[in-house]
Structures are given as C-alpha cells and as structure tokens.
Amino acid sequence: MVVRVKLNVTGMTCAACSARVEKVTSQIQGVHNVEVNLLAGTLSMDVEDSTLVQQAIERIKKAGYGASVPGEKSEKKVTMPNDLSQMKSRLIFSATFLIVLMYFTMGHMIGLPLPAWYMGTKNALVAVLTQFLLTIPVVLLNHSYYTKGIRNLLRRSPNMDSLIAVGSGAALVYGVISMYRMAYALGHGQLAVVEHYRHSLYFESAAMIVTLITLGKFLETRAKRKTGDAINALMDLRPKTATIIRDDQEVTIPVDQVCVGDVVVVRSGDSIPVDGTILSGRCAVDQSAITGESVPVEKNAGDKVVAATINTDGFVKIRADKVGEDTTFSQIIRLVSESGGSKAPIARLADKVAGVFVPVIMAIALLSFVIWYLLGNGVEFAMNIAISVLVISCPCALGLATPVAIMVGTGRGAHMGVLFKNASALENLHKIDTVVLDKTGTLTTGLPQVTDILPTGSREQLLKIAASLEKGSQHPFAKAIQKAAESIQLTDPDAFEVLPGQGISGIINGVKYFAGNEKLMHTIGITVDAHTELTTAGKTVLYFASQQGEYIGAIAVSDVLREDSVAAVESMERMGLKVIMLTGDNQRTARVIAQNAGISHVISDVLPADKAHHVQALKEQGKTVLMVGDGINDAPALACAHVGMAIGAGTDVAMESADVVLMHNALTRVSDAIALSKATMRNIRQNLFWAFFYNCLGVPVAAGVLYPALGILLSPMLGAAAMSCSSVFVVGNALRLRYWNSKHQQVVQNEPIKEIKTMETVIFVNGMMCPHCQARVESVCKAVAGVEDAVVDLKAKTVTVKGNASLESLHAVIKDAGYEVVE
C-alpha cells in the first residue's frame, strides 16, 4: 500500500540543495512523487514500503543534509531552519570587524586619518597583517559557508554555499599569496613589487562578501518567519486546558487529556477546547477563527460546537465528540501546513533550472577568468571578474519564488475561512472559466421552509393534521411542516406508511389521512387544484386528505436561496466566469430558482450518479471547471472537476473529495477563493520573473560584457550585496499577500456605495463594582448584532458602545446580565 510520508530536512540553503535532495530521494525504487519545500525544510513522498523511509533518510544524509521523521504532527509551529538570534550575533560581530577593516583599507579614500605605523611602503607588511588578522575572525564566524560549500562541491552537488566559498575563498587565498609575495619582495629590496601588491589585496572583499551574504540571509530568514504567521496564529488560539466534570467535581486538566464522552464545562469568555454537542445551557459563540464570521452565533442544547471557538456569553456543558488530532481545528492546521508545504506545478521550471544553476555559474566564472586572462588583463583583473560572477548569482531567489507565495497565500486563505488542501488547487483555481453550482445546500440553504398554507377550513386544523402525520417521516419537507407547527399540540400517527413516489399515510385519532402529491390525490379519488402559480414559482405543493374523501388543504414548501447567493453569482460573472446550476429538480422548478439567483445556464433533471458525467462533458468541451457542492452525491463530481470546492455545511465525504474547503457557509467565498488564487499566482510570476531577470542581467554584467564598450565593471562586494537583495526582494514581495483583500466583496449590488456612519452610544449603568462586572457588561454588549466594540468606564459607571446596534437591544442584554440601565 502506498503511503504519503513527510520528513524534516536540515542544511538546505538554496534551490540547488532542494533539487539535490529531491534527486537522490527520487532515485530510490518504490519512492514516488517527491516534493521538497525549501522554505519549510520538509520533504514529502509516496512510499510503497515503510522500510524505504529509513533508506531515504540515509540517502539524504549521505548527500550532506540532515533528515528525520517529524516528532510531532500539526502541533509543531512553523519555524525556519536557521537560528535567527545566532545569525544576528554572527552578523553583529562580523560587521564590527568589517567596519574596522574597511577603515584601514578604504578610510583614506574619504579623508579619514590613518595611523603612521600603517602608512607607507616600509610598513606594507604591517598593513597586510592588520588586514589579514581583521579578516580571519569574519571568516571563522561564517565558517559554515566554507565547510558546507566545499563539502558539497567535493560531492559534486554544489550549491549556493559553494559559490560563496569559492568566491570569497579565492579572494582570501589570493590575499595570502600576495602577503607572501610582499614579504619576499620586502626582504629582497623589491619595493616596486611591494607597492603593487599593497594595493591589490582582496581581504576586504572576502570579509565583505560573507558579511553581506549573512546580512541578506538574516533579513531573508526574518521575513520568511512571517510567512508562517497564519499557522502560528492558529496554533496560539488552541486552548491549553479544559474544565471537565469527573465524580461530580469540576477538574481542570490539559486539553490533551480530554477523552471522547467527557462532559466539558465552558463559561463566558472561555475558549471551547473540543468538538462536541451542547448538553445543557446556551451561549453565543465567536466562530471567526474557524469560519471567518465576525458575528457570534447563538447555540443551544443539541447544537454542535467546535474547538478553538470562543464562548462570548453564556454557560454550557458540552459532550466531547472529537478530541486532539480529530478536532476540526487540528484538521485545519494540518491542511494549511500541508498545503503551504506542497509544491505547485508552476515551480517545476524553477526546479529544473536550479538543478543545473550552480554548475553552470561555476563554469561561466571559470570561462570568464580564462578569457580575461588570455586577453592580457592580468590575474587580479580576471579573478575579480570570476569572483563577481560567483557571488552575484542567486539560486535562492529561484528556490523561494514559489514556496513563500504559496505559504503566505494558503495562510491568508485560512484566515478568510478558505482552506486549500494543496498548492495545485491554489494554482489551478486561477485558470477556472466555468463554475458549476449544486442547487440544494449550495445555492439554497438546504433547509426547506413552508411558504404557503392553503386550508379548506381551519388553518390550525390543517397544520395539526399535516404536522402530526409528518412526525413519522424524516423527509426535509416533513421537518419544515413540523417547524411551522411548533406551537401546536401534535399527535403521534398510527399505522404510518410510505407510499413510494406519491407520499405517506397514517391514522390520527382513528381517522386515516393521506399526504402527498397530486398523483396520490387522484389515486384516492380526490380532484385538487394544481396550484400552477406555486409550482411555477419553484415551490412543491403537498396535498392533505382523509380516507373518507375529505380534502383538507395544501401546503407549499420551498428550499429558499441563501442570503448571499445573488451577490455571489454577480461577483463570479463580474470576474468573467460562466455560472451553471446543476440540479435534480425538474426543468420548470430549476429555471425559477436559477432565475431568482441570476443564473442563465441550467442543467436540470440530473440523477445524483450523473453529476460527474455532466462535469466531464464540460471538461471535454475545453472548459476549466470548478464544481461547488456540499452533499455525498456531489463527491464524484467534486473529484471529477479540475477543482472541487466543498461548502462549510457539507458532509465529510464532500469535504474529503474536494480540493478546497469553505469553512464559512457564505457562497461569496467562492469568488474570494478564485481572486486569492489569481493574486497568489500573479505574485509567483512576479517572483519568478525577478529571479530569472536578475540572474540573466546580473551574471553577464559581472562577467564584464559591458566593460569593453562602457567601462562598467562590477566589484565582488557589489555583487554580494545585489545577491542578498535579490532574495530579500522575493520574500518581501510574497509577504504582500498577507494584506490582500478581495475587491469582489466591496460591491455586492450594482448600486452606488453608501457611506455608513458608525455611532458611539454612551449608556449609564448602575451595579458595576469590579473588573468582573466590567468584563461581563463589555461581553454582553459585544455579543449584540451590529456592535463593533464596547468599553466600560468603572469610575464613570458608563459603557461606550461603538456600532449600529439598537439601543433597546443593548438595554435588554445589560438588564438580563443583572445590571440597571439609567435612562
């Protein structure tokens, strides 16, 4: 059986490293679909046998990198492979020595005074030793570039460290050789030779190169740490403890010790620690961490709650249904982590280039050295060219171009309540040109409602008989009728029977009644009005009659559109997408619902098993299809589409089959997800363009192609600075996605945007005595719809409420909390 395995890989510094790790692992027979994430320092692969995992680890270690099986799953926060504080210390000490070195080597150029013992040809050896002794600490502080670079070079898998090691090492070795030449010349009175080499040392270049590279790595690492902020922020929301009831006592324990079936106590202000069902009590739950909804949702006994949401008001006891790794919250973290660590198809080109990048650059550097030397420009000039070529090239920018944008994009999606299961889904979504929407539960609420009651006599009598008869049925229409008769005393039916294709029957108080369609009424000999005005409006009419031939009346039921369905369809069409409604309803009903939603393309009378065939037909027409659904019968179509998207209220099967999961039930999130995909892919293309453009421009300039015509020559120090800036630019550009917002949410209707003024209301409250009272009043006020913020001033005995909530609602919740409102 093929299993997906993830490994932590250390020691990778550039795209060449990740390409090397991927190559050696892919060569193992039985290992497939290897993906290395340079940013996260991880490797994912499919293995046919678990024993291949250890073989892969050994191969990676043999290639010069560290590898291990992760000790933790989703509990592990996103961290960078380099220790930032250690790098900062190294940078400070390196810069200190470099500044002193630059004072001695270049201070005279800007008029700085130099000590007499340093100046002059006779003191040349003293000056050289001073430079050498100031360079050695910088080299030792950054020795990892040399040890890793040379080791990888000897293993014939050179990387960025190899370029730095060879470039700065060549400058250092040349400086040492020059120092010996000077010492020899000084002892033999060859002062002209001494003077020549005194001005041709490269110690400052060697020190400057590694210091600038370290500066670039420090800025890059600090920026890369922010790419995991979304996951780390989610991790911080996870409750650490839970209060449970054991032996009739409340006990606070670590959340990891909560078991399925435990009764958990959650008070106002507490974070809910598990997925569960409310046994008793009521509360208002802030679900923004999971769904993105900003308004708390009312929950009562029997309702489901999920971990990491916050009880803003109320007291409840919850039965733990899912704990630990099984909670929705833990699954979200796992999905976001895996998605950010996966590889998008667009990264393949960069990976191919990175695999040969370093050897090609080293060949160009060697060729440049030979050409300029043969042209008679001397060893110093040719070496200056070769070092510049080595240090200006930047394989890091190529390797980071895609993964940083993917990680930030998926993190931003998670913040919005849009979960991408992998990078391919994020990439493919931007190509979509056709959106297929399932009707029930996607465009509509999936909860039918009674819209019309048409009795022949008493309205209450019709509802009582209809709801009593429907008590034996589990059909959604039956539940809608029972909900409409909540205030009426019902009777359990006897001899309940389902009449396939027609309706139901049952005995109530000794009388047999029938409920069903027009065909059933004809069967029992009753002629009824077809109510075409209702069916034309997309409603389903249910007829009720007794066995004695008495027609009681009819009830119309309809599955209503979601509140945001019209706005969602308009948003998609503004993006140039073709929107299609797919439903099993008859054509007449389907067209009415589609028309109400603003959809012009309808596929009706579709059997559940045939939904995937219709999606496949659209693909064969050359369409790039996004399928949005929520039910079990949507799963094959979700899997068949180029991208499958499951809506938040959907079934586990639908979510498992989908590539993208909307945690919020808002259909407008579909266009938001597509817009985010487009923004992420645009960011990736910008990064890749910069990475290729920078290297294609920088390497030839460093090689001296502009020198013969324009006299432009790049020093190694400028090359090192440019290389560092290139990586920082790529990471910084990707971080812009953290502040991305969908433009499609700004205008819902084709109407002018009206200015909405936020009011501040000051309410005087008696009875507030302590910080607990303050927190209580603030909490109940914030739970009122329309309230943005509420701040209590204990001394002034006031609460200042910001928002557009009604004053009556605010007064009511404050009084219910046990305090007095001063009118």
Side-chain angles (χ1 to χ4, degrees):
M1 188 176 83
V2 177
V3 179
R4 190 73 174 168
V5 176
K6 187 175 183 179
L7 299 177
N8 289 334
V9 181
T10 58
M12 297 188 296
T13 58
C14 69
C17 295
S18 59
R20 174 66 176 168
V21 171
E22 188 168 314
K23 182 179 179 181
V24 298
T25 311
S26 299
Q27 290 173 345
I28 302 173
Q29 190 172 358
V31 174
H32 313 283
N33 301 323
V34 179
E35 291 184 352
V36 177
N37 189 296
L38 173 64
L39 179 65
T42 60
L43 176 146
S44 299
M45 60 183 177
D46 293 334
V47 296
E48 297 177 0
D49 189 344
S50 59
T51 58
L52 295 174
V53 176
Q54 188 58 39
Q55 189 176 341
I57 292 175
E58 291 172 0
R59 284 279 188 99
I60 295 169
K61 288 181 177 179
K62 190 175 180 181
Y65 306 93
S68 61
V69 176
E72 296 176 306
K73 298 179 183 176
S74 63
E75 308 302 320
K76 187 174 181 179
K77 288 191 176 185
V78 176
T79 56
M80 292 298 107
N82 296 323
D83 186 344
L84 196 63
S85 60
Q86 185 182 21
M87 192 180 296
K88 183 178 181 180
S89 300
R90 201 169 78 230
L91 175 62
I92 291 173
F93 284 113
S94 298
T96 302
F97 282 103
L98 179 64
I99 290 170
V100 178
L101 176 61
M102 296 303 291
Y103 163 72
F104 280 111
T105 57
M106 296 185 178
H108 64 283
M109 296 181 182
I110 56 174
L112 293 177
L114 293 175
W117 55 264
Y118 184 85
M119 302 297 292
T121 305
K122 292 183 179 180
N123 294 324
L125 196 56
V126 174
V128 173
L129 283 170
T130 301
Q131 294 181 34
F132 178 69
L133 292 175
L134 288 170
T135 303
I136 289 302
V138 180
V139 172
L140 293 176
L141 283 167
N142 299 280
H143 67 90
S144 60
Y145 293 127
Y146 300 95
T147 54
K148 293 179 181 178
I150 299 301
R151 184 172 65 239
N152 288 325
L153 188 62
L154 295 175
R155 287 175 172 161
R156 291 185 292 181
S157 58
N159 61 354
M160 186 200 70
D161 291 337
S162 303
L163 297 177
I164 298 169
V166 174
S168 62
L172 183 64
V173 170
Y174 181 81
V176 172
I177 293 173
S178 298
M179 184 170 62
Y180 274 93
R181 292 286 297 272
M182 287 174 63
Y184 179 84
L186 198 62
H188 290 75
Q190 300 173 358
L191 297 182
V193 175
V194 173
E195 187 65 18
H196 168 75
Y197 280 107
R198 190 167 76 92
H199 296 290
S200 302
L201 296 171
Y202 281 92
F203 287 132
E204 74 278 5
S205 293
M208 178 69 81
I209 288 169
V210 292
T211 303
L212 285 176
I213 296 299
T214 301
L215 173 61
K217 281 289 181 185
F218 172 75
L219 295 175
E220 176 189 318
T221 303
R222 190 172 67 173
K224 283 195 292 187
R225 289 180 66 172
K226 296 180 181 178
T227 63
D229 281 355
I231 301 174
N232 291 339
L234 283 174
M235 287 298 307
D236 290 337
L237 293 174
R238 186 175 189 265
K240 304 296 185 296
T241 60
T243 301
I244 66 171
I245 296 178
R246 284 188 181 166
D247 300 326
D248 297 326
Q249 298 288 326
E250 290 188 10
V251 181
T252 301
I253 61 173
V255 72
D256 294 334
Q257 296 180 14
V258 179
C259 301
V260 173
D262 281 345
V263 176
V264 182
V265 176
V266 183
R267 292 180 169 83
S268 179
D270 290 347
S271 182
I272 297 173
V274 295
D275 288 5
T277 305
I278 296 178
L279 297 176
S280 63
R282 57 151 297 278
C283 62
V285 180
D286 178 359
Q287 302 182 141
S288 57
I290 305 296
T291 67
E293 291 177 281
S294 58
V295 180
V297 178
E298 189 75 18
K299 299 283 186 178
N300 297 292
D303 290 339
K304 298 286 186 179
V305 292
V306 295
T309 56
I310 299 172
N311 176 10
T312 60
D313 179 44
F315 174 86
V316 289
K317 291 182 180 180
I318 300 168
R319 182 186 67 242
D321 296 333
K322 293 182 180 179
V323 298
E325 287 293 318
D326 295 328
T327 64
T328 301
F329 181 70
S330 294
Q331 291 174 24
I332 288 173
I333 294 175
R334 178 178 56 79
L335 276 176
V336 176
S337 300
E338 290 178 355
S339 177
S342 62
K343 185 170 291 185
I346 196 173
R348 290 170 187 160
L349 175 60
D351 289 344
K352 289 179 180 178
V353 173
V356 297
F357 183 85
V358 174
V360 169
I361 291 299
M362 299 188 81
I364 292 173
L366 180 61
L367 186 63
S368 300
F369 176 86
V370 172
I371 290 174
W372 285 111
Y373 179 75
L374 293 177
L375 290 175
N377 290 279
V379 175
E380 294 88 355
F381 184 90
M383 189 178 71
N384 185 79
I385 293 287
I387 294 173
S388 296
V389 171
L390 289 170
V391 299
I392 198 173
S393 56
C394 188
C396 283
L398 281 172
L400 294 171
T402 300
V404 287
I406 291 293
M407 182 167 281
V408 178
T410 53
R412 181 60 187 159
H415 180 77
M416 295 165 50
V418 179
L419 300 183
F420 297 94
K421 287 191 176 180
N422 51 59
S424 294
L426 182 60
E427 177 176 344
N428 292 336
L429 195 58
H430 89 286
K431 304 173 186 176
I432 294 300
D433 56 33
T434 303
V435 180
V436 178
L437 300 174
D438 174 56
K439 190 209 77 175
T440 305
T442 302
L443 265 174
T444 65
T445 61
L447 301 172
Q449 298 177 12
V450 172
T451 59
D452 301 89
I453 300 174
L454 308 169
T456 57
S458 167
R459 171 189 171 94
E460 184 174 340
Q461 180 67 12
L462 170 60
L463 269 177
K464 182 175 182 178
I465 292 172
S468 297
L469 190 59
E470 296 286 2
K471 284 186 73 175
S473 173
Q474 295 299 316
H475 195 281
F477 287 175
K479 294 179 180 178
I481 293 173
Q482 290 175 57
K483 186 173 182 181
E486 283 179 332
S487 60
I488 299 174
Q489 184 69 35
L490 303 181
T491 304
D492 291 331
D494 296 322
F496 178 83
E497 184 181 1
V498 176
L499 308 173
Q502 295 183 346
I504 58 174
S505 67
I507 298 174
I508 301 173
N509 296 328
V511 180
K512 186 171 185 178
Y513 292 94
F514 294 89
N517 54 25
E518 191 176 353
K519 182 180 178 182
L520 175 60
M521 294 297 107
H522 287 308
T523 302
I524 62 175
I526 295 178
T527 303
V528 295
D529 185 345
H531 293 295
T532 53
E533 75 283 359
L534 298 177
T535 56
T536 302
K539 300 176 181 180
T540 300
V541 181
L542 302 175
Y543 301 93
F544 297 86
S546 69
Q547 191 175 28
Q548 287 75 20
E550 180 189 2
Y551 175 57
I552 303 170
I555 296 178
V557 182
S558 176
D559 187 6
V560 297
L561 288 173
R562 292 184 183 274
E563 292 182 359
D564 65 338
S565 290
V566 175
V569 172
E570 287 181 0
S571 179
M572 289 180 229
E573 290 184 340
R574 279 198 302 270
M575 297 174 75
L577 303 172
K578 180 180 180 181
V579 183
I580 299 173
M581 187 181 84
L582 187 66
T583 177
D585 288 352
N586 61 67
Q587 187 176 19
R588 183 173 59 184
T589 302
R591 288 205 173 276
V592 170
I593 294 173
Q595 184 178 2
N596 292 338
I599 298 174
S600 54
H601 303 280
V602 180
I603 302 176
S604 59
D605 300 292
V606 179
L607 294 174
D610 293 335
K611 289 185 177 182
H613 298 310
H614 287 279
V615 171
Q616 182 62 36
L618 289 169
K619 291 170 65 177
E620 291 172 357
Q621 294 171 22
K623 306 292 185 183
T624 306
V625 183
L626 165 66
M627 173 69 195
V628 185
D630 74 311
I632 293 175
N633 58 5
D634 296 323
L638 291 171
C640 177
H642 290 100
V643 179
M645 186 179 290
I647 202 161
T651 63
D652 292 340
V653 176
M655 293 188 182
E656 189 66 30
S657 303
D659 304 299
V660 183
V661 177
L662 305 181
M663 296 305 297
H664 193 4
N665 290 333
L667 199 59
T668 48
R669 290 296 189 208
V670 175
S671 56
D672 291 343
I674 296 172
L676 176 59
S677 172
K678 291 179 182 291
T680 304
M681 295 311 300
R682 184 164 56 248
N683 191 283
I684 289 174
R685 291 193 185 97
Q686 291 168 352
N687 287 345
L688 287 174
F689 171 78
W690 169 255
F692 282 111
F693 172 77
Y694 164 81
N695 284 292
C696 291
L697 179 65
V699 172
V701 171
V705 295
L706 299 179
Y707 182 70
L710 302 175
I712 296 177
L713 197 63
L714 202 64
S715 74
M717 289 180 283
L718 286 177
M723 185 243 206
S724 299
C725 289
S726 177
S727 297
V728 174
F729 174 86
V730 166
V731 177
N733 185 50
L735 287 176
R736 292 189 304 114
L737 287 170
R738 294 200 305 165
Y739 309 104
W740 178 89
N741 284 302
S742 174
K743 296 178 181 178
H744 302 284
Q745 287 184 308
Q746 296 176 359
V747 182
V748 175
Q749 303 289 346
N750 294 323
E751 300 175 357
I753 298 177
K754 298 178 182 178
E755 182 181 0
I756 300 175
K757 296 182 178 179
T758 301
M759 297 187 300
E760 280 195 358
T761 305
V762 179
I763 303 173
F764 290 86
V765 182
N766 281 337
M768 297 189 298
M769 307 294 293
C770 64
H772 174 76
C773 297
Q774 176 183 353
R776 175 66 174 162
V777 172
E778 287 179 350
S779 175
V780 297
C781 288
K782 289 178 181 178
V784 176
V787 172
E788 296 178 11
D789 196 13
V791 179
V792 166
D793 187 333
L794 280 177
K795 291 183 179 179
K797 302 296 183 184
T798 63
V799 56
T800 302
V801 180
K802 185 178 180 182
N804 298 293
S806 69
L807 194 60
E808 292 78 8
S809 299
L810 292 169
H811 284 183
V813 296
I814 293 172
K815 290 176 180 176
D816 288 345
Y819 301 93
E820 179 187 355
V821 176
V822 181
E823 300 292 347

